[in-house]
Amino acid sequence: MLEIEGLTRRFGGKTAVDRVSLTIPSGQMVGVIGRSGAGKSTLLRMINRLTEPSEGSIRYDGVEVTALRGKALRDWRTRCAMIFQQFNLVQRLDVLTNVLVGRLNHRAGFMGTMGSLVKRFSAEERAMALMALDRLDLADQALQRADTLSGGQQQRVAIARAMMQEPKVILADEPIASLDPRNSKVVMDALRDVNKRDGITVLVNLHHLDTAREYCDRIVAMQAGRVMFDGVPEELTAEKVREIYGVSEAEFQEAAQEAV
Ligand SMILES: Nc1ncnc2c1ncn2[C@@H]1O[C@H](COP(=O)(O)OP(=O)(O)O)[C@@H](O)[C@H]1O
Ligand SMILES: [Mg+2]
């Protein structure tokens, strides 16, 4: 269980995330929605400790994440995989090596030796990477360079890489914002699959309300750093959207889309 309490982040005079409290049971798929600047990315980045909180607490299974240092912090980051809008693959390397990079989280200074990297992994790790790729329907692309893949394929490689970390939690920050509808569906289906089949908790920032409604067990809507709504998709009616944002859903969607 992930317990967030009074979580706050200020940047100078600006409060990006403002006293957010959320209790997320293991295995839940949570969609975080809100306009650009609402604090969605900062919230996810604090959970992974890429951004340090100004105040508040984050506990995972009773352990205070904000207090972790050194190896314990690196271990947490391994258990808590991030997926980004821009995939963040090493473009000149093949797909399999990119996936194996997911095993390296705890090893320091690996970038300089990337060329001969594949040989450093055990047969088990390579088999595990191939299985992850197969599951994401990318086994045929394993030896292709990352830069030959479509955006949707690259994001699936990023998910396979995340799976190599054997995470408890996946934090996906606008994972489909750069993708067309068909690829968006493939990537969201993949996230749902790891959530449902592996029981991995998924927190996903989304700008499409409909996508959040379709895929998520729970929707958290943020505005100006605060949680304005937290409930099941059925509760997030068009009237509710208007109440929260003071605009119609269509207008909200337009504003959210401009951000990307
Ligand atoms: N590194 C930073 N330095 C200064 N301000 C930041 C930084 N990161 C985010 N912010 C500000 O915090 C607010 C929330 O940003 P963000 O979390 O990126 O929102 P979202 O992901 O919902 O678009 C915005 O006003 C943004 O400008
Ligand atoms: Mg963002």
Side-chain angles (χ1 to χ4, degrees):
M1 184 160 73
L2 184 65
E3 294 167 281
I4 295 169
E5 224 178 281
L7 196 62
T8 298
R9 171 67 204 213
R10 285 180 288 269
F11 291 105
K14 168 104 203 162
T15 305
V17 171
D18 192 2
R19 288 164 289 164
V20 166
S21 296
L22 296 167
T23 298
I24 299 169
S26 292
Q28 201 166 52
M29 181 140 171
V30 183
V32 182
I33 61 162
R35 292 179 180 185
S36 173
K40 305 180 297 297
S41 295
T42 305
L43 175 64
L44 253 59
R45 293 169 63 87
M46 280 196 284
I47 295 170
N48 179 278
R49 292 275 309 277
L50 282 172
T51 296
E52 288 298 325
S54 304
E55 271 167 45
S57 111
I58 303 163
R59 278 188 305 278
Y60 187 80
D61 285 351
V63 174
E64 184 57 53
V65 168
T66 58
L68 300 177
R69 300 283 177 271
K71 182 176 184 313
L73 176 56
R74 288 196 297 279
D75 287 348
W76 167 246
R77 288 193 171 134
T78 302
R79 292 287 156 261
C80 186
M82 287 278 313
I83 306 267
F84 300 94
Q85 178 178 345
Q86 293 306 335
F87 328 129
N88 292 11
L89 303 183
V90 183
Q91 293 293 327
R92 68 185 171 83
L93 292 180
D94 64 55
V95 164
L96 182 63
T97 308
N98 269 284
V99 173
L100 284 164
V101 164
R103 294 305 284 182
L104 288 178
N105 260 33
H106 56 293
R107 302 182 204 180
F110 63 86
M111 288 304 284
T113 55
M114 203 68 106
S116 58
L117 209 57
V118 143
K119 299 183 200 87
R120 295 184 174 207
F121 292 98
S122 66
E124 287 76 18
E125 284 174 319
R126 275 176 278 165
M128 186 182 172
L130 280 169
M131 263 157 57
L133 282 170
D134 187 44
R135 186 173 161 184
L136 288 153
D137 206 16
L138 285 166
D140 291 346
Q141 282 79 27
L143 299 178
Q144 269 176 242
R145 275 173 59 131
D147 55 13
T148 64
L149 302 187
S150 71
Q153 288 174 321
Q154 290 198 39
Q155 192 61 295
R156 278 183 286 148
V157 174
I159 294 171
R161 179 182 59 188
M163 292 302 286
M164 293 297 282
Q165 296 178 216
E166 299 181 276
K168 301 282 187 214
V169 180
I170 289 183
L171 304 170
D173 194 1
E174 307 268 8
I176 58 171
S178 306
L179 303 179
D180 61 36
R182 192 178 58 84
N183 278 304
S184 294
K185 179 176 165 17
V186 173
V187 166
M188 287 306 298
D189 285 348
L191 282 176
R192 173 154 65 192
D193 187 63
V194 301
N195 169 257
K196 295 291 175 254
R197 271 213 281 164
D198 303 70
I200 296 171
T201 306
V202 175
L203 262 80
V204 54
N205 288 350
L206 293 165
H207 65 273
H208 268 104
L209 266 58
D210 287 339
T211 308
R213 284 197 185 97
E214 185 183 345
Y215 284 92
C216 299
D217 304 317
R218 172 179 178 184
I219 297 177
V220 170
M222 292 183 72
Q223 186 176 41
R226 310 290 310 268
V227 171
M228 303 293 286
F229 171 89
D230 179 5
V232 295
E234 296 72 37
E235 290 176 87
L236 189 67
T237 57
E239 299 86 83
K240 195 82 201 169
V241 171
R242 180 179 278 283
E243 192 186 309
I244 297 168
Y245 294 106
V247 293
S248 74
E249 189 162 338
E251 287 168 311
F252 168 83
Q253 208 61 80
E254 227 169 88
Q257 230 128 29
E258 276 166 22
V260 193

